[in-house]
Amino acid sequence: MQGDTRRSGDLWSGAVLALLGIYIVVQARQWEYSSPEGPGPGFFPLWYGVALLALSALLVASRLRRSPRRGDPVEWRRIGRALSVWLALAVSVALFKALGFVASFALLTYFIVAVMYGRPARIAAAVALATGLGFYLVFDLALGLALPAGGLTF
């Protein structure tokens, strides 16, 4: 029974995500939390790290409470889908300098909607455009916070 728990993907992914959350919190604490103008550069990463820690703790706790089922086959298709989203996120982050945040996030959104959820290309494009535009309107125009622009002007 304990061997099944140690082989659990939920347990290990929760532990890795907890380590990532700790790293994010430690790094964010080195930045200014708030300023007279509002939240500083450490505000969002700190709370993101705290949320990541809390959710990873819930993932590990839920796995430890569940009784392990012997002989469950590994669902490689689901693992492949999850890893492809992680890869798409990494590519999106790598494109920040070249395309800017808004365009690279719109491409990530398009990938998730079109490829992962299998929606038609026009729906995926509309969702990606609306998401990118929403980020631009909220952060650049409403809050006056410049997102990484890259080679594009927005």
Side-chain angles (χ1 to χ4, degrees):
M1 182 149 130
Q2 190 173 359
D4 289 337
T5 300
R6 276 188 262 136
R7 286 190 310 225
S8 167
D10 287 348
L11 183 69
W12 287 107
S13 61
V16 170
L17 289 172
L19 290 174
L20 177 61
I22 290 169
Y23 175 76
I24 291 170
V25 168
V26 168
Q27 293 300 312
R29 290 192 47 88
Q30 297 174 10
W31 299 333
E32 185 180 3
Y33 181 75
S34 66
S35 68
E37 292 87 29
F43 179 81
F44 288 114
L46 177 71
W47 287 108
Y48 173 75
V50 168
L52 192 59
L53 276 169
L55 292 173
S56 63
L58 284 174
L59 181 63
V60 169
S62 71
R63 175 60 185 118
L64 292 176
R65 275 192 300 210
R66 271 186 279 147
S67 61
R69 292 177 289 189
R70 287 184 131 341
D72 281 350
V74 175
E75 297 183 40
W76 291 108
R77 182 165 158 40
R78 291 180 67 189
I79 291 171
R81 288 176 55 84
L83 290 176
S84 66
V85 172
W86 277 98
L87 178 63
L89 177 62
V91 168
S92 174
V93 170
L95 291 174
F96 279 3
K97 279 191 176 180
L99 300 177
F101 176 84
V102 173
S104 62
F105 190 77
L107 287 174
L108 174 64
T109 304
Y110 180 87
F111 172 80
I112 291 172
V113 173
V115 176
M116 302 310 297
Y117 285 103
R119 300 295 187 247
R122 62 177 167 35
I123 292 175
V127 171
L129 181 65
T131 304
L133 184 61
F135 268 97
Y136 176 73
L137 291 174
V138 169
F139 286 96
D140 276 348
L141 296 181
L143 297 175
L145 301 173
L147 295 169
L152 301 176
T153 58
F154 53 85

